């Protein structure tokens, strides 16, 4: 906001939308053609994944010909070069392989407290990336975890990893 | 054979004192001067820029206009943080194929045209957009921190070990007048800096940087025709690609794309893959984060699996050690203007092999071979290039 005010003031005083950069002392033109970008990502062909979340299940696709499981789910099997897929539920448990706690967050995640991102290898061999619930200091790679479907702050469903006690 | 006969490098850092084409010219002019050529001699040029944070989209024509390069052919290339090496790849293959004889490669990035939070937002999207960023808010430090945590757990490395990489690279940054950070730091300073993405703290991370770097590449015919003595040759280049999602990889202690690229580069250059240090006088590796440098030691076979951390503990990657690494400060202290980094590594290979590095950071040139390792994204693109004094 202070930035906006400074620009307004400088348009009035100097006649242009300019500011002086604090670090370098160099004069900057402030672009007034601000733009908001929001993408439309097609999920038409992986709709069952989202229906699965609604039923409390984490789903992936499996090629009926070669048996490969795809997560993130794929519509096509590049090995068999066909699209003969079935939807299957992934294992509900697995092993934590790595984690990090994101302190400096993107502005679009500023409504969240620092969060833990983890990768787990589920018991069917499929790896997933998700947030890890609970105190990250209490877990290490090798920890058993389970998958839980939960509701996020914005009100829609996601999947999380939760350490299994004991 | 393809040779580099001229180089240019701007000061890296906050460069809000110049516009994009002005910054480009700071690298282009010395490149033309050291190569002793004019714009009219250039028959193709490649601009490496990732550029989502900066205002200009048609960067190659913009620079052609400012630096009088038109109407020679050009393109802009992008391979995330390996953009600079991708630009070199295009020039290298253009000359090898016989389509071009004299090529200008410019890597440029003006990240500070946007504010830091916007840059953090944009770089987070260099993973997989939907399954990593949109849902779980990964940042660039976070992607690499997932590797760091796995490495620490598997090989008993510590945050202090990572800090040693920062200390080394700041030590050499302090001796590089083009570096963003020209101050030495202590292990305590690194360890006491705030967490960005655990286990990474501020001093584990390369900064947000503006900068430009350029090289002039020519065919061997031109080297002979122009009787050029000051040149280095590109002996080989290996290129690899990794999966978009980290979850599609089978381990987090090595980058498969880098291992693949290194094997190709070593084989093509006739370097024994089991003992590359015997052939190389030095290297620049992609230390976007401290642990990435240690993993690079292993992917490049400077050390066995799990023993990369020993190299930094024993200071074997300082000048005088087993193999000097990032003695220009690396991405960590020199700065990491995305598109310029790979070209900056080529500039460093040229300077080191020709004994042109600044005081206090010149390696001993014995074998006349130098390696650069440039990684884009989270291991998405890997470029390993071997430079040499002899054909
Ligand atoms: Zn199949």
């Amino acid at each position: 906001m202070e930035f906006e005010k400074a620009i307004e003031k400088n348009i009035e005083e100097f006649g242009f939308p300019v500011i002086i950069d604090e670090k370098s002392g160099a004069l900057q033109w402030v672009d007034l053609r601000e733009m908001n970008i929001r993408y439309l990502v097609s999920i038409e062909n992986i709709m069952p994944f989202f229906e699965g979340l609604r039923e409390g299940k984490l789903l992936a696709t499996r090629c009926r010909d070669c048996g490969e499981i795809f997560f993130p789910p794929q519509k096509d099997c590049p090995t068999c070069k066909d699209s003969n897929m079935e939807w299957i539920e992934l294992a509900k448990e697995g092993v934590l392989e790595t984690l990090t706690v994101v302190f400096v967050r993107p502005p679009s995640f500023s409504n969240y407290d620092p969060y833990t991102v983890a990768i787990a290898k589920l018991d069917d061999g499929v790896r997933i990336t998700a947030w890890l619930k609970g105190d990250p200091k209490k877990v290490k790679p090798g920890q058993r975890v389970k998958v839980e479907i939960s509701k996020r702050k914005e009100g829609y469903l996601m999947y999380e990893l939760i350490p299994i006690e004991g | 054979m393809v040779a580099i006969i001229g180089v240019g490098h701007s000061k890296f850092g906050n460069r809000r004192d110049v516009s994009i084409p002005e910054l480009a010219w700071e690298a282009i002019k010395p490149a033309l001067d050291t190569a002793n050529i004019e714009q009219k001699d250039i028959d193709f040029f490649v601009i490496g820029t990732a550029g989502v944070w900066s205002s200009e989209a048609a960067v190659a024509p913009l620079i052609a206009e400012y630096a009088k390069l038109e109407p020679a052919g050009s393109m802009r290339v992008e391979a995330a943080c390996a953009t600079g090496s991708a630009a070199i790849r295009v020039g290298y293959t253009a000359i090898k194929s016989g389509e071009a004889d004299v090529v200008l490669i410019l890597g440029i990035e003006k990240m500070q045209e946007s504010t830091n939070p916007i840059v953090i937002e944009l770089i987070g999207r260099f993973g997989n957009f939907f399954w990593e960023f949109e849902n779980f808010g990964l940042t660039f430090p976070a992607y690499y921190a997932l590797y760091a945590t796995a490495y620490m757990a598997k090989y008993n490395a510590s945050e202090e070990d990572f800090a040693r990489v920062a200390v080394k690279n700041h030590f050499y940054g302090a001796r590089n007048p083009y570096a963003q950070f020209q101050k030495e730091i202590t292990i305590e300073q690194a360890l006491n800096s705030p967490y960005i993405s655990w286990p990474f703290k501020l001093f584990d991370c390369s900064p947000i940087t503006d900068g430009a770097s350029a090289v002039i590449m020519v065919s061997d015919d031109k080297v002979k025709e122009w009787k050029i003595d000051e040149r280095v040759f590109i002996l080989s280049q290996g290129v690899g690609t990794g999966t978009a999602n980290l979850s599609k990889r089978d381990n987090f202690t090595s980058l498969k794309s880098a291992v693949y690229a290194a094997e190709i580069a070593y084989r093509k250059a006739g370097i024994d893959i089991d003992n590359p240090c015997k052939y190389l006088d030095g290297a620049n590796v992609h230390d976007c984060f401290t642990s990435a440098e240690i993993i690079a030691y292993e992917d490049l076979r400077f050390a066995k699996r799990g023993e990369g951390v020993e190299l930094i503990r024993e200071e074997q990657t300082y000048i005088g050690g087993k193999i000097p690494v990032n003695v220009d400060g690396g991405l960590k202290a020199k700065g990491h203007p995305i598109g310029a980094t790979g070209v900056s590594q080529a500039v460093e290979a040229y300077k080191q092999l020709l004994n042109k590095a600044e005081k206090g950071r010149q390696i001993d040139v014995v074998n006349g071979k130098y390696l650069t390792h440039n990684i884009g994204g989270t291991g998405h693109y890997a470029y390993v290039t071997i430079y040499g004094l002899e054909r």
Side-chain angles (χ1 to χ4, degrees):
Chain A
M1 264 342 271
E2 259 172 55
F3 194 62
E4 302 292 327
K5 265 187 205 149
I7 299 164
E8 264 177 47
K9 186 168 154 274
N10 286 345
I11 290 178
E12 230 165 77
E13 285 184 13
F14 306 110
F16 296 103
V18 293
I19 55 154
I20 288 172
D21 175 46
E22 276 176 26
K23 270 195 217 159
S24 61
L27 191 64
Q28 313 292 301
W29 180 279
V30 184
D31 156 34
L32 293 187
R33 312 295 167 221
E34 200 176 346
M35 137 175 103
N36 273 308
I37 296 183
R38 179 169 277 193
Y39 301 111
L40 298 173
V41 179
S42 178
I43 55 165
E44 173 68 16
N45 295 304
I46 55 165
M47 201 163 30
F49 172 80
F50 298 94
E51 288 165 356
L53 289 184
R54 282 165 58 179
E55 293 165 16
K57 292 174 185 170
L58 187 66
L59 301 187
T61 52
R62 182 169 63 194
C63 175
R64 284 197 180 95
D65 298 332
C66 70
E68 184 172 348
I69 302 174
F70 293 90
F71 189 86
Q74 289 193 193
K75 171 176 170 277
D76 309 298
C77 176
T79 307
C80 303
K81 300 184 183 69
D82 67 16
S83 310
N84 190 14
M85 291 285 189
E86 59 186 343
W87 285 88
I88 59 156
E89 185 177 2
L90 289 174
K92 288 181 193 298
E93 292 185 10
V95 177
L96 184 73
E97 290 196 325
T98 188
L99 71 154
T100 179
V101 185
V102 183
F103 288 96
V104 176
R105 288 138 7 241
S108 61
F109 280 83
S110 58
N111 56 331
Y112 284 95
D113 291 330
Y115 40 83
T116 306
V117 176
I119 298 175
K121 186 180 184 181
L122 303 181
D123 292 340
D124 47 23
V126 171
R127 287 182 177 80
I128 67 166
T129 303
W131 281 350
L132 180 92
K133 216 160 137 179
D135 185 356
K137 289 191 187 119
K138 289 187 180 154
V139 294
K140 283 198 295 251
Q143 163 83 42
R144 292 286 301 171
V145 290
K146 62 179 178 185
V147 179
E148 192 179 271
I149 310 303
S150 56
K151 199 169 257 185
R152 58 194 300 154
K153 252 188 186 176
E154 293 94 337
Y156 62 89
L157 296 169
M158 68 163 170
Y159 44 100
E160 280 184 294
L161 292 164
I162 300 174
I164 299 172
E165 304 285 331
Chain B
M1 273 287 159
V2 176
I4 292 178
I5 64 161
V7 299
H9 203 288
S10 81
K11 163 83 172 61
F12 281 6
N14 169 328
R15 295 306 313 273
R16 288 189 176 138
D17 57 319
V18 285
S19 69
I20 291 171
E22 290 164 356
L23 182 61
W25 183 246
E26 288 185 22
I28 294 171
K29 184 190 180 299
L32 294 172
D33 287 349
T34 49
N36 195 23
I37 63 166
E38 296 295 328
Q39 285 94 328
K40 64 171 170 45
D41 299 317
I42 293 169
D43 46 32
F44 186 57
F45 64 100
V46 189
I47 308 294
T49 192
V52 286
W53 26 68
S54 47
S55 54
E56 296 286 355
V59 186
L62 176 79
I63 288 163
E65 175 183 311
Y66 193 90
K68 286 210 185 302
L69 296 169
E70 44 120 15
S74 72
M75 67 171 71
R76 166 192 176 169
V77 305
E78 188 273 335
C81 317
T83 291
S85 290
I88 287 173
R89 178 78 181 165
V90 173
Y92 174 62
T93 50
I95 292 172
K96 276 195 95 166
S97 73
E99 277 290 312
D101 277 315
V102 184
V103 178
L104 164 73
I105 311 293
L106 176 85
I108 185 164
E109 212 68 62
K110 214 152 174 278
M111 304 178 77
Q112 298 199 19
E113 280 200 357
S114 289
T115 59
N116 283 4
I118 294 293
V119 175
I120 291 164
E121 177 87 26
L122 289 169
I123 307 192
R125 295 159 184 241
F126 272 73
N128 176 273
F129 176 74
F130 186 78
W131 299 93
E132 293 180 332
F133 180 79
E134 163 85 16
N135 282 301
F136 304 116
L138 276 97
T139 59
F140 223 71
Y143 293 113
Y144 271 90
L146 289 166
Y147 276 86
T149 304
Y151 187 91
M152 284 166 75
K154 188 167 180 188
Y155 299 122
N156 262 321
S158 65
E159 292 179 47
E160 194 174 325
D161 292 324
F162 297 158
R164 290 176 207 279
V165 175
V167 169
K168 172 178 70 71
N169 294 355
H170 276 262
F171 176 84
Y172 288 113
R175 285 151 182 80
N176 181 354
Y178 300 96
Q180 180 161 4
F181 300 129
Q182 298 178 23
K183 261 198 189 132
E184 292 183 30
I185 59 159
T186 63
I187 287 214
E188 291 70 35
Q189 262 176 296
L191 287 173
N192 290 329
S193 62
Y195 278 108
I196 302 294
S197 192
W198 179 89
F200 289 153
K201 296 164 290 297
L202 184 65
F203 277 105
D204 290 299
C205 308
S206 56
I208 293 167
T209 309
D210 301 330
S213 42
V215 298
I216 306 287
M217 294 186 351
V218 301
S219 61
D220 209 12
D221 287 349
K222 284 288 172 197
V223 172
K224 287 168 187 158
E225 183 190 330
W226 290 342
K227 298 186 172 58
I228 292 160
D229 296 326
E230 291 204 327
R231 79 285 180 273
V232 300
F233 293 101
I234 297 181
L235 300 183
S236 69
Q237 189 173 54
V239 188
T241 306
T243 63
N245 278 285
L246 258 53
S247 66
K248 296 292 272 189
R249 304 181 189 173
D250 60 14
N251 77 78
F252 304 101
T253 53
S254 164
L255 294 174
K256 199 171 159 188
S257 56
V259 171
Y260 176 83
E263 283 174 3
I264 292 172
Y266 286 148
R267 195 178 61 238
K268 287 191 173 175
I271 288 176
D272 178 7
I273 194 163
D274 292 319
N275 194 6
C277 293
K278 211 180 83 187
Y279 297 77
L280 300 167
D281 292 327
N284 268 59
V285 308
H286 198 84
D287 59 325
C288 49
F289 300 94
T290 49
S291 63
E293 175 163 325
I294 293 173
I295 289 176
Y297 296 162
E298 299 177 15
D299 287 345
L300 294 166
R301 309 242 199 155
F302 298 169
K304 291 196 183 86
R305 288 282 161 219
E307 293 177 9
V309 66
E310 297 294 337
L311 281 190
I312 193 68
R313 282 181 194 149
E314 293 166 3
E315 304 193 342
Q316 292 289 350
T317 48
Y318 281 79
I319 291 171
K322 187 181 181 193
I323 180 163
V325 175
N326 291 335
V327 299
D328 59 354
L331 284 60
K332 178 68 208 69
K334 184 179 59 179
H336 182 24
I338 306 294
T341 287
V343 184
S344 171
Q345 290 182 334
V347 172
E348 177 67 2
Y350 172 96
K351 284 173 72 172
Q352 288 293 352
L353 287 174
L354 294 172
N355 274 302
K356 289 172 181 290
E358 289 78 9
K359 195 167 168 278
R361 58 173 221 87
Q362 173 64 51
I363 60 169
D364 296 327
V365 179
V366 179
N367 305 302
K369 287 191 179 68
Y370 199 90
L371 177 147
T372 66
H373 160 276
N374 187 196
I375 305 296
T378 68
H380 295 151
Y381 310 96
Y383 286 79
V384 175
T385 313
I386 315 272
Y387 296 90
L389 284 173
E390 303 302 325
R391 284 177 179 84

